[in-house]
């Protein structure tokens, strides 16, 4: 699956802090930009996994589940 998100990286003292405009609450930090981006990517993956599981709990028993790829 291919997804693209916008990462904003800011410097905070010795740390780099990254957040994502499209996924509220997703943020990461690291001592380098690469570490901050990897931390952010991990946070995005966890948030999307949680939202998917939460959404599936409310789906009716007979509902069709189909994968949708956006590229």
């Amino acid at each position: 699956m291919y997804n693209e998100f916008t990462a904003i990286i800011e410097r905070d003292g010795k740390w780099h802090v990254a957040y994502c405009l499209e996924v509220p609450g997703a943020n990461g930090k690291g001592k380098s930009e690469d570490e901050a981006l990897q931390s952010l990517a991990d946070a995005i993956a966890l948030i999307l996994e949680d939202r998917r599981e939460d959404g599936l709990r409310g789906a009716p028993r007979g509902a069709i589940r189909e994968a949708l790829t956006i590229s």
Side-chain angles (χ1 to χ4, degrees):
M1 183 187 298
Y2 174 81
N3 291 293
E4 186 174 291
F5 300 96
T6 305
I8 305 297
I9 305 169
E10 298 177 4
R11 190 76 189 246
D12 184 14
K14 294 182 180 181
W15 294 94
H16 290 82
V17 179
Y19 57 94
C20 179
L21 300 176
E22 297 90 354
V23 184
N27 56 68
K29 71 176 184 178
K31 292 190 176 183
S32 69
E33 288 183 22
D34 288 340
E35 285 181 8
L37 287 173
Q38 184 58 56
S39 177
L40 175 60
D42 293 344
I44 291 170
L46 286 172
I47 288 170
L48 293 179
E49 179 181 335
D50 182 65
R51 289 183 181 169
R52 181 178 297 117
E53 290 174 7
D54 192 43
L56 287 173
R57 282 194 275 288
R61 184 172 290 193
I64 298 170
R65 180 178 175 180
E66 189 71 33
L68 174 64
T69 302
I70 299 171
S71 57

